[in-house]
Protein backbone atom coordinates (compact mmCIF):
# COMPACT_ATOMS: atom_id res chain seq x y z
CA UNK A 1 0.00 0.00 0.00
CA UNK A 2 1.26 3.46 -0.92
CA UNK A 3 1.12 5.68 2.17
CA UNK A 4 0.79 9.46 1.95
CA UNK A 5 0.26 12.19 4.54
CA UNK A 6 -1.63 15.25 3.34
CA UNK A 7 -1.42 18.52 5.30
CA UNK A 8 -3.36 21.75 4.73
CA UNK A 9 -2.93 24.97 6.70
CA UNK A 10 -6.09 27.04 6.34
CA UNK A 11 -6.78 30.75 6.68
CA UNK A 12 -4.76 33.94 6.37
CA UNK A 13 -2.08 32.95 8.89
CA UNK A 14 -0.80 30.35 6.40
CA UNK A 15 -0.08 32.98 3.77
CA UNK A 16 1.04 35.76 6.12
CA UNK A 17 3.76 34.02 8.10
CA UNK A 18 6.05 31.73 6.11
CA UNK A 19 8.18 30.90 9.16
CA UNK A 20 5.24 29.60 11.18
CA UNK A 21 3.99 27.56 8.23
CA UNK A 22 7.40 25.95 7.72
CA UNK A 23 7.76 25.40 11.47
CA UNK A 24 4.43 23.54 11.60
CA UNK A 25 5.57 21.27 8.76
CA UNK A 26 9.03 20.71 10.27
CA UNK A 27 7.54 19.83 13.65
CA UNK A 28 5.07 17.43 12.01
CA UNK A 29 8.04 15.57 10.53
CA UNK A 30 9.71 15.53 13.97
CA UNK A 31 6.49 14.08 15.43
CA UNK A 32 6.56 11.30 12.81
CA UNK A 33 10.16 10.47 13.77
CA UNK A 34 9.30 10.33 17.47
CA UNK A 35 6.29 8.06 16.90
CA UNK A 36 8.40 5.78 14.70
CA UNK A 37 11.09 5.66 17.38
CA UNK A 38 8.44 4.60 19.91
CA UNK A 39 7.05 1.98 17.52
CA UNK A 40 10.44 0.47 16.70
CA UNK A 41 12.16 1.09 20.08
CA UNK A 42 15.03 2.86 18.30
CA UNK A 43 16.52 6.39 18.57
CA UNK A 44 14.51 9.07 16.74
CA UNK A 45 17.55 10.46 14.88
CA UNK A 46 17.55 7.69 12.26
CA UNK A 47 13.92 7.54 11.19
CA UNK A 48 12.23 7.23 7.82
CA UNK A 49 12.81 10.15 5.47
CA UNK A 50 9.83 11.81 3.75
CA UNK A 51 9.56 13.75 0.48
CA UNK A 52 7.03 16.03 -1.21
CA UNK A 53 4.92 14.64 -4.00
CA UNK A 54 2.73 17.75 -3.98
CA UNK A 55 3.22 21.32 -2.71
CA UNK A 56 0.87 24.30 -3.20
CA UNK A 57 0.69 27.85 -1.91
CA UNK A 58 -2.24 30.08 -0.93
CA UNK A 59 -3.60 28.11 1.94
CA UNK A 60 -0.43 26.03 2.30
CA UNK A 61 -1.06 22.45 1.19
CA UNK A 62 1.33 19.57 0.70
CA UNK A 63 1.36 15.81 0.41
CA UNK A 64 4.23 13.78 1.83
CA UNK A 65 5.25 10.22 1.10
CA UNK A 66 8.15 8.08 2.36
CA UNK A 67 11.41 8.71 0.51
CA UNK A 68 13.55 6.11 2.28
CA UNK A 69 12.29 3.65 4.91
CA UNK A 70 14.64 3.45 7.91
CA UNK A 71 16.64 0.23 8.15
CA UNK A 72 14.97 -0.74 11.41
CA UNK A 73 11.46 0.10 10.13
CA UNK A 74 8.97 -1.29 7.58
CA UNK A 75 6.14 -0.03 5.38
CA UNK A 76 3.64 -1.39 7.91
CA UNK A 77 5.36 0.58 10.69
CA UNK A 78 5.26 3.77 8.59
CA UNK A 79 1.53 3.27 8.02
CA UNK A 80 0.91 2.78 11.76
CA UNK A 81 3.01 5.86 12.53
CA UNK A 82 1.04 8.03 10.10
CA UNK A 83 -2.24 6.76 11.54
CA UNK A 84 -0.97 7.39 15.07
CA UNK A 85 0.00 10.97 14.20
CA UNK A 86 -3.39 11.80 12.70
CA UNK A 87 -5.39 9.86 15.29
CA UNK A 88 -3.41 11.32 18.19
CA UNK A 89 -3.93 14.91 17.06
CA UNK A 90 -7.64 14.20 16.57
CA UNK A 91 -7.76 12.80 20.10
CA UNK A 92 -5.97 15.87 21.50
CA UNK A 93 -8.45 18.16 19.75
CA UNK A 94 -11.23 16.55 21.81
CA UNK A 95 -9.67 16.09 25.25
CA UNK A 96 -6.88 17.44 27.47
CA UNK A 97 -4.91 14.18 27.64
CA UNK A 98 -1.80 12.61 26.15
CA UNK A 99 -2.99 10.67 23.08
CA UNK A 100 -3.02 6.88 23.29
CA UNK A 101 0.39 5.38 22.51
CA UNK A 102 2.19 8.75 22.56
CA UNK A 103 5.17 9.59 24.75
CA UNK A 104 5.50 12.87 26.61
CA UNK A 105 7.95 14.06 23.92
CA UNK A 106 5.41 13.26 21.19
CA UNK A 107 2.77 15.26 23.07
CA UNK A 108 5.10 18.26 23.29
CA UNK A 109 5.77 18.05 19.55
CA UNK A 110 2.03 17.84 18.86
CA UNK A 111 1.53 20.98 20.96
CA UNK A 112 4.15 22.78 18.87
CA UNK A 113 2.47 21.69 15.62
CA UNK A 114 -0.82 23.30 16.69
CA UNK A 115 0.37 26.36 18.63
CA UNK A 116 0.18 28.77 15.66
CA UNK A 117 -3.31 27.67 14.56
CA UNK A 118 -6.48 29.66 15.03
CA UNK A 119 -9.40 28.92 17.32
CA UNK A 120 -11.78 27.66 14.59
CA UNK A 121 -11.45 25.12 11.75
CA UNK A 122 -11.34 27.79 9.02
CA UNK A 123 -7.99 28.98 10.45
CA UNK A 124 -6.78 25.54 11.50
CA UNK A 125 -5.14 22.50 9.91
CA UNK A 126 -6.43 19.41 8.15
CA UNK A 127 -4.21 16.33 8.37
CA UNK A 128 -5.05 13.16 6.44
CA UNK A 129 -3.33 9.80 6.00
CA UNK A 130 -4.03 8.10 2.67
CA UNK A 131 -3.49 4.58 1.40
CA UNK A 132 -3.27 4.20 -2.38
CA UNK A 133 -4.83 7.65 -2.67
CA UNK A 134 -7.86 6.84 -0.50
CA UNK A 135 -8.38 8.59 2.88
CA UNK A 136 -7.72 6.29 5.84
CA UNK A 137 -7.97 8.80 8.67
CA UNK A 138 -8.54 12.57 8.86
CA UNK A 139 -8.20 15.14 11.64
CA UNK A 140 -9.26 18.80 11.82
CA UNK A 141 -6.90 20.55 14.20
CA UNK A 142 -7.18 23.98 15.82
CA UNK A 143 -5.59 25.94 18.65
CA UNK A 144 -7.65 23.75 20.98
CA UNK A 145 -5.19 20.88 20.36
CA UNK A 146 -2.28 23.01 21.57
CA UNK A 147 -4.17 24.14 24.67
CA UNK A 148 -5.22 20.58 25.51
CA UNK A 149 -1.70 19.18 25.09
CA UNK A 150 -0.23 22.03 27.13
CA UNK A 151 -2.63 21.20 29.96
CA UNK A 152 -1.88 17.49 29.68
CA UNK A 153 1.91 17.94 29.79
CA UNK A 154 2.32 20.72 32.36
CA UNK A 155 -0.04 19.77 35.19
CA UNK A 156 1.89 17.28 37.32
CA UNK A 157 1.32 15.20 40.43
CA UNK A 158 3.76 12.85 42.13
CA UNK A 159 2.64 9.47 43.46
CA UNK A 160 4.18 6.11 44.36
CA UNK A 161 2.85 3.01 42.66
CA UNK A 162 3.43 0.37 40.02
CA UNK A 163 2.67 -0.33 36.36
CA UNK A 164 2.72 -3.63 34.45
CA UNK A 165 3.81 -4.07 30.87
CA UNK A 166 6.82 -4.68 28.63
CA UNK A 167 10.10 -2.76 28.47
CA UNK A 168 11.63 -1.59 25.19
CA UNK A 169 13.87 1.13 23.78
CA UNK A 170 16.69 1.02 26.33
CA UNK A 171 19.01 4.06 26.35
CA UNK A 172 22.09 4.25 28.55
CA UNK A 173 24.01 7.36 29.62
CA UNK A 174 23.34 10.61 27.76
CA UNK A 175 21.94 13.75 29.31
CA UNK A 176 20.01 11.91 32.04
CA UNK A 177 23.14 9.93 33.10
CA UNK A 178 21.05 6.91 34.00
CA UNK A 179 19.46 4.06 31.99
CA UNK A 180 16.06 4.85 30.50
CA UNK A 181 13.53 2.56 28.84
CA UNK A 182 9.93 2.73 27.66
CA UNK A 183 7.27 0.75 29.50
CA UNK A 184 4.27 -0.20 27.34
CA UNK A 185 1.52 -0.78 29.88
CA UNK A 186 -1.00 -3.63 29.80
CA UNK A 187 -3.80 -1.29 30.89
CA UNK A 188 -4.49 2.08 29.32
CA UNK A 189 -2.11 1.82 26.37
CA UNK A 190 0.43 4.16 27.97
CA UNK A 191 4.05 4.47 26.81
CA UNK A 192 5.97 5.62 29.90
CA UNK A 193 9.65 6.61 30.05
CA UNK A 194 11.17 4.85 33.07
CA UNK A 195 14.50 5.89 34.65
CA UNK A 196 16.60 3.31 36.52
CA UNK A 197 19.31 3.78 39.13
CA UNK A 198 22.62 1.92 38.90
CA UNK A 199 21.52 -0.33 41.76
CA UNK A 200 18.83 -1.83 39.52
CA UNK A 201 21.20 -2.74 36.69
CA UNK A 202 21.15 -6.55 37.34
CA UNK A 203 17.33 -6.58 37.57
CA UNK A 204 17.05 -4.44 34.44
CA UNK A 205 19.24 -6.86 32.46
CA UNK A 206 17.07 -9.81 33.53
CA UNK A 207 13.86 -7.93 32.72
CA UNK A 208 14.98 -6.78 29.30
CA UNK A 209 12.81 -8.09 26.44
CA UNK A 210 10.64 -10.20 28.75
CA UNK A 211 6.95 -10.36 27.91
CA UNK A 212 5.79 -8.93 31.25
CA UNK A 213 7.31 -6.99 34.12
CA UNK A 214 5.99 -4.88 36.99
CA UNK A 215 7.82 -1.62 37.74
CA UNK A 216 7.32 0.03 41.13
CA UNK A 217 8.51 3.54 41.91
CA UNK A 218 7.79 7.26 41.85
CA UNK A 219 5.26 8.19 39.16
CA UNK A 220 4.76 11.67 37.73
CA UNK A 221 1.18 12.08 36.46
CA UNK A 222 -0.82 14.77 34.72
CA UNK A 223 -4.20 16.07 35.88
CA UNK A 224 -5.97 13.20 34.10
CA UNK A 225 -3.98 10.56 35.98
CA UNK A 226 -1.86 9.58 32.98
CA UNK A 227 1.69 8.51 33.79
CA UNK A 228 4.23 10.87 32.24
CA UNK A 229 7.39 9.19 33.57
CA UNK A 230 8.63 6.95 36.38
CA UNK A 231 11.72 6.58 38.55
CA UNK A 232 11.99 2.87 39.23
CA UNK A 233 12.63 1.51 42.71
CA UNK A 234 11.90 -2.16 42.03
CA UNK A 235 11.52 -4.52 39.04
CA UNK A 236 9.50 -7.73 39.32
CA UNK A 237 9.53 -10.38 36.60
CA UNK A 238 6.01 -11.65 35.92
CA UNK A 239 4.95 -15.03 34.55
CA UNK A 240 4.86 -15.19 30.76
CA UNK A 241 2.95 -17.47 28.43
CA UNK A 242 4.21 -21.10 28.71
CA UNK A 243 6.49 -22.23 25.91
CA UNK A 244 7.48 -25.74 24.85
CA UNK A 245 11.07 -26.73 25.49
CA UNK A 246 13.20 -28.36 22.78
CA UNK A 247 12.88 -31.71 24.62
CA UNK A 248 9.10 -31.45 24.63
CA UNK A 249 9.05 -30.66 20.92
CA UNK A 250 11.35 -33.55 20.02
CA UNK A 251 9.27 -35.98 22.05
CA UNK A 252 5.98 -34.71 20.61
CA UNK A 253 4.56 -34.50 24.12
CA UNK A 254 3.54 -31.68 26.43
CA UNK A 255 1.90 -32.84 29.70
CA UNK A 256 -0.16 -29.65 30.16
CA UNK A 257 -1.78 -30.23 26.78
CA UNK A 258 -2.70 -33.90 27.36
CA UNK A 259 -3.70 -33.73 31.00
CA UNK A 260 -0.73 -35.85 32.06
CA UNK A 261 -1.38 -38.72 29.63
CA UNK A 262 1.39 -40.00 27.40
CA UNK A 263 1.05 -39.69 23.61
CA UNK A 264 -0.45 -43.19 23.09
CA UNK A 265 -3.03 -42.80 25.87
CA UNK A 266 -4.02 -39.35 24.56
CA UNK A 267 -4.56 -40.58 20.98
CA UNK A 268 -6.54 -43.60 22.20
CA UNK A 269 -8.76 -41.31 24.27
CA UNK A 270 -9.42 -39.13 21.23
CA UNK A 271 -10.38 -42.21 19.19
CA UNK A 272 -12.62 -43.56 21.94
CA UNK A 273 -10.60 -46.76 22.28
CA UNK A 274 -10.58 -46.60 26.11
Amino acid sequence: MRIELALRLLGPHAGMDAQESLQALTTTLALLRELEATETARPSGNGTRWTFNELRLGSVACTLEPLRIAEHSTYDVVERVARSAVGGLHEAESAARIPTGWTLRAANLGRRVAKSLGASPDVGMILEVRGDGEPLRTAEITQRTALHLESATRTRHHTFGSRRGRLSGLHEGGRQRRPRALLRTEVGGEVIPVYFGDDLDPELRRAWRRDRVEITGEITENAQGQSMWMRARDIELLPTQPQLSDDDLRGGFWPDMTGGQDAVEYVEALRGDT
Side-chain angles (χ1 to χ4, degrees), residues 34-263:
E34 173 64 19
L35 293 174
E36 186 176 33
T38 302
E39 182 75 24
T40 60
R42 297 293 183 90
S44 59
N46 301 314
T48 292
R49 296 165 61 188
W50 295 74
T51 186
F52 293 108
N53 67 10
E54 183 182 16
L55 180 62
R56 300 197 308 270
L57 298 178
S59 290
V60 174
C62 67
T63 305
L64 303 167
E65 65 178 349
L67 172 65
R68 183 180 178 86
I69 304 295
E71 292 183 359
H72 56 272
S73 190
T74 66
Y75 283 96
D76 288 340
V77 167
V78 171
E79 179 185 346
R80 290 197 297 271
V81 165
R83 286 177 177 268
S84 179
V86 176
L89 289 170
H90 176 75
E91 188 176 340
E93 180 75 8
S94 304
R97 66 187 312 275
I98 296 175
T100 304
W102 282 29
T103 61
L104 176 61
R105 174 173 164 76
N108 280 321
L109 288 169
R111 176 178 56 82
R112 287 168 54 191
V113 168
K115 72 176 184 178
S116 66
L117 303 179
S120 59
D122 59 319
V123 285
M125 173 194 290
I126 296 177
L127 198 61
E128 182 176 80
V129 57
R130 301 171 181 167
D132 293 333
E134 297 296 322
L136 300 177
R137 196 161 194 177
T138 303
E140 291 188 355
I141 308 159
T142 67
Q143 184 188 19
R144 185 179 289 107
T145 291
L147 296 175
H148 281 168
L149 289 175
E150 182 174 10
S151 174
T153 56
R154 291 192 176 181
T155 304
R156 300 171 183 173
H157 305 280
H158 301 281
T159 63
F160 193 90
S162 62
R163 295 290 186 272
R164 292 185 174 188
R166 180 176 179 177
L167 291 170
S168 64
L170 179 65
H171 297 273
E172 298 184 90
R175 190 170 57 182
Q176 299 294 336
R177 296 183 179 180
R178 62 174 63 194
R180 178 179 70 87
L182 297 178
L183 178 67
R184 297 173 179 270
T185 63
E186 294 179 349
V187 178
E190 295 180 301
V191 183
I192 310 170
V194 184
Y195 297 91
F196 300 88
D198 294 337
D199 58 315
L200 289 177
D201 186 70
E203 289 83 355
L204 179 58
R205 302 300 169 186
R206 287 195 294 269
W208 190 242
R209 295 296 184 186
R210 284 184 63 91
D211 289 336
R212 300 176 68 234
V213 298
E214 182 170 353
I215 307 295
T216 301
E218 301 164 7
I219 306 173
T220 299
E221 298 179 337
N222 63 14
Q224 289 71 43
Q226 293 178 290
S227 304
M228 300 171 65
W229 67 79
M230 293 183 65
R231 296 192 185 277
R233 294 293 179 262
D234 182 66
I235 306 173
E236 181 181 353
L237 308 184
L238 299 177
T240 59
Q241 294 296 323
Q243 296 180 351
L244 294 176
S245 69
D246 291 340
D247 290 338
D248 290 334
L249 292 172
R250 280 193 291 269
F253 172 60
W254 186 27
D256 288 347
M257 183 180 72
T258 64
Q261 297 173 306
D262 64 25

